[in-house]
Amino acid sequence: PLFLESTLVDEELIKGVNKEFVEERLNKKNICILYLARLEKTKGIYEAIDTYSIIKAKHPNAKMIIAGDGREENSVKKYISDKRIKDITLLGFVEGETKRQAYQNGDIYLFPSYFEGMPNSVLEAMAFGLPVVTRAVGGLVDFFKDERNGFITESYDPEVLSSFVERIISNEILAKEIALNNYQYARDNFTSAVVVKRIEHIFNQIINK
């Protein structure tokens, strides 16, 4: 038999993150859009930057964090410079505390990847209580719901992506509901202890047969 399972969120990464932290972040006035993935064209890095640029024009206080490295790293830096897009912080490859800080400093997770399996970064972002704007790729389509986890679309168009980001920014009640839904859903379904328990159950089923 075949069993469909998920990747997981390392509980050490989200240690100390609770509902109070999620709710407190929602009271921030400035918006920080986070992209955390490899800097590859197929991860949607350029669409993410263009989406932020549209949001930045409407919300001058908006900022963006780009965390990750890859083949497009130098091209991404040039792209940002040529377009004169302000307030983008490039962190490079992140792990441990630096990765935790990236998630903690973000307000919305933007991930317009072209294709995926089950992207860990989306699950991690949810566990930190971040609303997510992403594409309908891989295992995300099996559980991700519009206006419950954020917004999911078939489109690559930055105008479409930015419209979803704008809906989160402009609707505080919706943003709070999504943030708390994601926090709880990730903990109920994707933390390492939960996933390991499900896998143990699968092994026990097979052994008992």
Side-chain angles (χ1 to χ4, degrees):
L2 299 177
F3 297 89
L4 181 63
E5 253 308 330
S6 168
T7 52
L8 53 82
V9 176
D10 185 350
E11 291 182 33
E12 279 299 310
L13 179 66
I14 58 174
K15 193 173 182 179
V17 177
N18 51 37
K19 284 186 177 180
E20 288 72 23
F21 168 81
V22 174
E23 290 177 335
E24 183 178 334
R25 177 171 52 201
L26 293 169
N27 295 323
K28 286 170 56 180
K29 292 183 179 179
N30 295 341
I31 295 296
C32 181
I33 295 173
L34 173 65
Y35 169 97
L36 193 155
R38 287 190 58 76
L39 302 187
E40 307 286 348
K41 185 177 180 181
T42 55
K43 291 290 186 180
I45 179 59
Y46 295 106
E47 288 83 357
I49 294 169
D50 288 343
T51 299
Y52 164 73
S53 181
I54 294 168
I55 294 297
K56 180 70 171 172
K58 298 178 182 177
H59 302 273
N61 290 333
K63 298 180 179 180
M64 185 178 196
I65 294 173
I66 295 176
D69 58 8
R71 289 176 295 184
E72 295 293 309
E73 188 166 0
N74 291 332
S75 296
V76 164
K77 290 176 181 177
K78 185 176 186 303
Y79 191 79
I80 294 168
S81 176
D82 289 348
K83 286 182 170 283
R84 299 182 180 179
I85 306 173
K86 296 181 179 179
D87 296 323
I88 295 182
T89 301
L90 293 158
L91 297 181
F93 176 76
V94 293
E95 61 183 348
E97 184 59 29
T98 309
K99 185 177 183 180
R100 190 201 323 272
Q101 287 295 322
Y103 281 121
Q104 289 180 338
N105 291 332
D107 298 301
I108 297 171
Y109 187 64
L110 178 60
F111 187 60
S113 183
Y114 291 19
F115 50 82
E116 290 292 324
M118 178 66 90
N120 257 49
S121 64
V122 171
L123 309 187
E124 290 168 350
M126 290 173 64
F128 277 89
L130 292 176
V132 175
V133 175
T134 188
R135 293 192 63 256
V137 291
L140 294 178
V141 298
D142 294 327
F143 74 89
F144 199 101
K145 300 288 190 298
D146 272 345
E147 297 192 21
R148 180 164 182 82
N149 306 114
F151 292 95
I152 189 166
T153 177
E154 296 280 354
S155 179
Y156 301 91
D157 187 348
E159 290 286 351
V160 174
L161 295 166
S162 65
S163 72
F164 292 133
V165 173
E166 183 65 35
R167 287 181 66 180
I168 296 169
I169 293 173
S170 61
N171 190 331
E172 292 182 9
I173 295 174
L174 178 62
K176 181 176 181 179
E177 288 177 354
I178 292 172
L180 293 175
N181 284 340
N182 282 356
Y183 167 85
Q184 196 60 56
Y185 190 86
R187 278 161 172 71
D188 290 344
N189 294 278
F190 300 132
T191 57
S192 48
V194 170
V195 175
V196 166
K197 185 174 287 188
R198 290 201 303 258
I199 292 173
E200 286 179 344
H201 179 69
I202 291 170
F203 281 129
N204 285 331
Q205 278 185 307
I206 295 170
I207 291 168
N208 290 334
K209 287 181 181 179

